Amino acid sequence: MVTTQDALARTVREHAGRLAAALVSLLGDFSAAEDLVQDAVEAALKHWPVEGVPERPDAWLFTVARRRGLDVLRREATYRAKLAQVQWPVPPEPDDRLRLLFTCCHPALSREAQVALTLRVVCGLTTAQIAAAFLVPEATVAQRITRAKRKIAEAGIPYRVPRDEELPARLNQVLTVVYLMFNEGYLSSSGGQAHRRDLVDDAEWLASLLAGLMPEEPEVAGLLALIRLHRARGAARFSPDGRLVLLKDQDRRLWDHEAIDAAIRLLTRTARRHHAPGPYQLQAAIAACHAEAPNWEETDWPQIVVLYDMLLALAPSAVTRLHRAIAVRHARGPEEAMAEVEKLGEALDRYALYHATRAELLRELGRTEEARAAGRRALELTGNPAQQALLEERLLS
């Protein structure tokens, strides 16, 4: 039975970001928009247990947020006029969230602040989820978001898609946000859900809008292909009882092979026009290696290692080095992979996949007790229920 709190949590997950984006687009005030949404959530916590969950919970939240806005801002004639015009659902305007995305990624803000603010306001992620994506404390993320809102207000940063000549200066940050949005939807870091289809849908939609805005930009095409290649495996990623199915165990007959072929064609056309692939193109190429393999045994692991080497040369990171080590495990054996993984302990100590990978390698090398300790550490660090179930199963084996 779905409880009132469950219904509210689901509504907030699915609509809070859109509610805030709709209010920001009209008020031009990030803090006020988020405060209005939070007030509406608090009102729902008070009224829904008594009155029942409304038929349209998203519309209920928006109505309350709008009413509170009128109350709080009644002395501000301009705001009042704007708020009075707002309706829910917001009339469809294809580039509305794209404008908000580029506003958050204004070059006057630091890169970290750009990404954190966009994930919070545009995507509706919680501070905890953003902190998990960056592997930094929640307080750090909260501070970045607060400073970014203040900077936008003080500098009078306009709410619009940049002119053509301004686009390159913001593209990397925009792509980073869409990529992180997709990652959080594809395998959620917290919130009691294994994945969030709404975030995945939004990420693909925004990537396709960017592709229409910048059709000759290879990294936009690379990110769109990457998202579509991963989405194509969606039907095989979870068992009927919600357990995570690892790539090697997935039923490849369930994959959307038409979508895979279309994404690979997009990637191939882009590679023909641009001979120096960027990070998103390389990640898409890695995903294509997996998608093209008829089975797990025929995966081209040596090619994947080469692609990771190219990726590290362009965008070095501890997480990418970890993924490369996983590929090395299958291409060259666990001993070499373990040597690489052990170098990453300090950088990735709070990253669940690091400890889960280390546990698997230790188990393969016969170091059972160390493997169990690493598995327990991985379990402590993940908030994803599907990952938790998998790790618990491994600990019992």
Side-chain angles (χ1 to χ4, degrees):
M1 180 179 178
V2 178
T3 66
T4 300
Q5 285 195 337
D6 290 338
L8 179 57
R10 183 173 62 250
T11 300
V12 171
R13 271 197 311 270
E14 295 175 357
H15 298 290
R18 290 184 177 89
L19 290 170
L23 292 166
V24 167
S25 69
L26 290 152
L27 299 176
D29 188 325
F30 290 85
S31 295
E34 284 202 284
D35 287 345
L36 292 176
V37 174
Q38 186 58 45
D39 285 347
V41 171
E42 292 176 2
L45 284 172
K46 178 180 178 181
H47 290 281
W48 290 8
V50 178
E51 302 168 4
V53 178
E55 185 176 346
R56 285 288 311 282
D58 57 321
W60 191 99
L61 284 177
F62 186 81
T63 299
V64 172
R66 178 179 176 277
R67 187 183 303 126
R68 295 290 174 90
L70 287 169
D71 291 340
V72 173
L73 303 171
R74 61 184 178 275
R75 295 180 182 175
E76 301 287 343
T78 302
Y79 279 173
R80 185 168 67 249
K82 289 181 176 180
L83 278 170
Q85 296 170 10
V86 185
Q87 296 178 350
W88 185 263
V90 176
E93 190 176 354
D95 64 349
D96 185 62
R97 294 185 78 196
L98 196 59
R99 283 203 300 269
L100 186 55
L101 184 62
F102 275 105
T103 299
C104 292
C105 291
H106 193 279
L109 306 176
S110 69
R111 181 185 180 278
E112 293 82 2
Q114 291 171 351
V115 177
L117 179 64
T118 312
L119 290 174
R120 180 72 190 93
V121 177
V122 182
C123 312
L125 299 188
T126 65
T127 305
Q129 289 169 328
I130 300 168
F134 282 113
L135 303 179
V136 297
E138 286 185 48
T140 301
V141 173
Q143 189 175 56
R144 289 174 184 173
I145 292 171
T146 299
R147 288 177 176 173
K149 291 177 183 176
R150 187 182 305 123
K151 180 71 173 181
I152 286 176
E154 292 174 352
I157 292 173
Y159 173 70
R160 61 175 174 82
V161 173
R163 294 184 293 272
D164 289 349
E165 64 271 19
E166 297 174 316
L167 288 171
R170 304 195 203 179
L171 181 60
N172 286 340
Q173 284 69 34
V174 169
L175 292 177
T176 298
V177 167
V178 176
Y179 177 66
L180 290 172
M181 182 196 306
F182 171 74
N183 281 347
E184 180 60 32
Y186 196 66
L187 196 65
S188 300
S189 61
S190 61
Q193 284 185 300
H195 64 113
R196 285 186 57 181
R197 184 171 179 174
D198 59 318
L199 285 182
V200 173
D201 289 344
D202 284 351
E204 183 178 2
W205 180 72
L206 286 169
S208 65
L209 284 181
L210 287 170
L213 184 67
M214 308 176 73
E216 297 302 316
E217 175 52 55
E219 280 293 80
V220 173
L223 178 58
L224 183 58
L226 173 64
I227 291 172
R228 289 176 172 171
L229 283 166
H230 282 302
R231 288 203 73 178
R233 296 195 291 107
R237 292 184 61 233
F238 296 95
S239 65
D241 62 355
R243 290 179 177 271
L244 185 65
V245 180
L246 297 178
L247 181 59
K248 67 184 180 67
D249 299 320
Q250 289 177 13
D251 183 349
R252 299 184 182 217
R253 295 171 298 180
L254 298 176
W255 292 2
D256 186 340
H257 293 282
E258 288 187 9
I260 289 171
D261 292 342
I264 290 175
R265 286 196 300 271
L266 172 61
L267 195 60
T268 303
R269 287 197 304 270
T270 303
R272 286 172 180 164
R273 295 197 304 267
H274 306 274
H275 301 297
Y280 292 110
Q281 293 166 270
L282 290 170
Q283 290 184 70
I286 292 167
C289 284
H290 289 295
E292 290 179 310
N295 52 60
W296 176 256
E297 290 72 24
E298 295 182 65
T299 303
D300 191 348
W301 290 108
Q303 177 63 22
I304 291 173
V305 173
V306 169
L307 290 168
Y308 272 121
D309 287 336
M310 296 171 65
L311 180 58
L312 282 167
L314 292 176
S317 78
V319 171
T320 299
R321 289 175 63 193
L322 176 65
H323 284 286
R324 180 189 181 278
I326 294 171
V328 166
R329 170 193 179 188
H330 298 291
R332 304 172 190 167
E335 292 86 358
E336 185 172 340
M338 190 69 198
E340 293 300 316
V341 167
E342 293 289 34
K343 299 174 185 176
L344 303 174
E346 183 176 353
L348 298 179
D349 183 58
R350 296 195 58 78
Y351 188 44
L353 181 60
Y354 164 75
H355 294 283
T357 300
R358 188 168 177 272
E360 286 299 289
L361 290 171
L362 289 166
R363 187 176 292 108
E364 197 170 347
L365 293 170
R367 296 158 62 180
T368 307
E369 288 307 311
E370 291 176 85
R372 289 186 182 280
R376 287 191 293 270
R377 177 63 173 155
L379 185 58
E380 290 174 2
L381 292 172
T382 182
N384 184 289
Q387 285 183 313
Q388 289 170 342
L390 179 63
L391 291 167
E392 288 169 350
E393 186 178 299
R394 286 176 174 176
L395 285 171
L396 293 173
S397 63

